[in-house]
Amino acid sequence: MVDTRRLIILGLLVAIAGVLHAVEGWLPLPVPVPGVKLGLANIISLVAIVLYGWRDALAVAAVRVVLGTLLGGAFLGPSFALGISGALASTVAMAYACRRWRPALSLVGVSVLGAAVHNLAQISVAALLVSSATLLWYLPYLILFALPTGLATGFTAAFLLARLPAAGR
Amino acid sequence: MRLTKADKWLTGALLAAAAGGIALNMLLLSGVGAQEARVYKEGKLVQTIRLRPGYHEELRLGGQERYNLIVADNGRVRIAEADCPDQVCVRTGWVSLAPQQIVCLPYRVVIKVVSSEPPDVDDITK
């Protein structure tokens, strides 16, 4: 069954996530920890999960990373490995949390969890890439910064979803 | 939009875990006294550079292209120059105290600052 509206909106979500991710790369963050990011594309993953479920959300995340690294010339490089692992792991975690714990855990909590899992997946892959397990010691610092960014992206996604016209669903 | 109880618990738990991890990090790995920088390339130890006042050493990894220029000076070490695409390693800047490290993911280079006298558990417990 071809659902044109769904396809168009998913395509738009991929485009928005790609742009957010690119823009975020240009913003210098005044933190002493390299690797800390705002995770703006996380907003789109959350929206995709709520609107269309985990399958489509995973597709949006994967296509966003593949397109983004293809255009940036980093396809299949280390930053691709980092991007895809973080995007897929956090989307899976957030989709699971949405389905299992949602009334108790709000979208903001889901977002915080997603941000933490994103960092966990990325630092694990980075540790594998450089064959150095001590890189994992870095995780607490990343999680510390993931909390405020996860809260911020969670609130943004919640406000966005509250204001989307019902026709979008 | 309000945070639920579970949101706060989750955030609190993550905050506690992060704080605990950082504290453990400092306790277990932080070095006082003599420090050295261990330079790893593709998981193998390439060179150990001593970090002490007045000592200067430069080390170039890689060839004409795909290189990292590592500079140790006056008890600190940094990657002064590299032609990697993301420049994360260069922007990390100077590090001087264990457990700080510099990572260049594209070229799989890791520089770890470690205490030359490895801290043993007894030192911490006493």
Side-chain angles (χ1 to χ4, degrees):
Chain A
M1 191 183 76
V2 179
D3 182 347
T4 316
R5 168 189 283 279
R6 180 174 134 252
L7 277 184
I8 291 173
I9 294 182
L10 286 176
L12 277 174
L13 288 180
V14 168
I16 297 170
V19 169
L20 285 178
H21 192 75
V23 166
E24 154 181 324
W26 304 334
L27 296 174
L29 278 187
V31 289
V33 184
V36 169
K37 284 198 171 167
L38 288 175
L40 295 178
N42 197 32
I43 300 169
I44 300 304
S45 298
L46 267 174
V47 170
I49 289 169
V50 173
L51 291 184
Y52 294 111
W54 66 273
R55 268 176 236 264
D56 287 339
L58 267 185
V60 166
V63 173
R64 191 255 302 166
V65 175
V66 169
L67 276 182
T69 51
L70 263 180
L71 293 175
F75 188 52
L76 297 184
S79 57
F80 172 77
L82 287 187
I84 196 94
S85 60
L88 293 187
S90 71
T91 308
V92 167
M94 290 194 297
Y96 183 83
C98 260
R99 178 180 287 189
R100 297 297 300 269
W101 304 316
R102 183 90 112 78
L105 206 63
S106 77
L107 266 186
V108 179
V110 170
S111 169
V112 169
L113 181 74
V117 170
H118 193 277
N119 280 311
L120 176 66
Q122 283 201 327
I123 200 76
S124 308
V125 170
L128 276 179
L129 279 177
V130 296
S131 338
S132 161
T134 52
L135 213 58
L136 293 176
W137 281 109
Y138 206 54
L139 184 62
Y141 298 93
L142 290 178
I143 299 270
L144 197 63
F145 285 99
L147 293 177
T149 60
L151 286 171
T153 53
F155 274 115
T156 312
F159 281 124
L160 179 60
L161 282 166
R163 276 162 182 69
L164 273 186
R169 317 207 169 194
Chain B
M1 189 67 219
R2 291 179 60 93
L3 290 181
T4 66
K5 213 177 221 176
D7 288 344
K8 289 174 186 158
W9 272 107
L10 175 71
T11 314
L14 284 173
L15 188 64
I22 291 172
L24 207 62
N25 215 332
M26 305 227 158
L27 268 179
L28 284 181
L29 302 173
S30 72
V32 279
Q35 316 264 312
E36 60 186 30
R38 296 201 179 138
V39 181
Y40 295 84
K41 168 105 179 162
E42 275 144 28
K44 285 191 285 281
L45 182 64
V46 183
Q47 193 163 339
T48 304
I49 304 174
R50 285 211 268 165
L51 299 179
R52 55 186 165 83
Y55 182 75
H56 186 91
E57 183 172 343
E58 293 188 6
L59 171 67
R60 192 185 162 103
L61 291 183
Q64 204 63 8
E65 280 176 19
R66 302 180 59 83
Y67 70 93
N68 300 84
L69 180 64
I70 298 159
V71 176
D73 187 64
N74 222 1
R76 311 175 295 172
V77 63
R78 69 166 171 160
I79 295 189
E81 220 178 277
D83 59 347
C84 58
D86 58 20
Q87 296 286 308
V88 166
C89 56
V90 176
R91 267 185 270 128
T92 304
W94 292 105
V95 298
S96 55
L97 280 172
Q100 292 176 317
Q101 49 186 333
I102 306 175
V103 178
C104 179
L105 217 47
Y107 301 158
R108 301 178 61 202
V109 170
V110 181
I111 303 174
K112 286 179 205 166
V113 180
V114 291
S115 204
S116 321
E117 308 107 60
D120 57 312
V121 179
D122 289 325
D123 271 331
I124 291 158
T125 46
K126 94 187 166 195

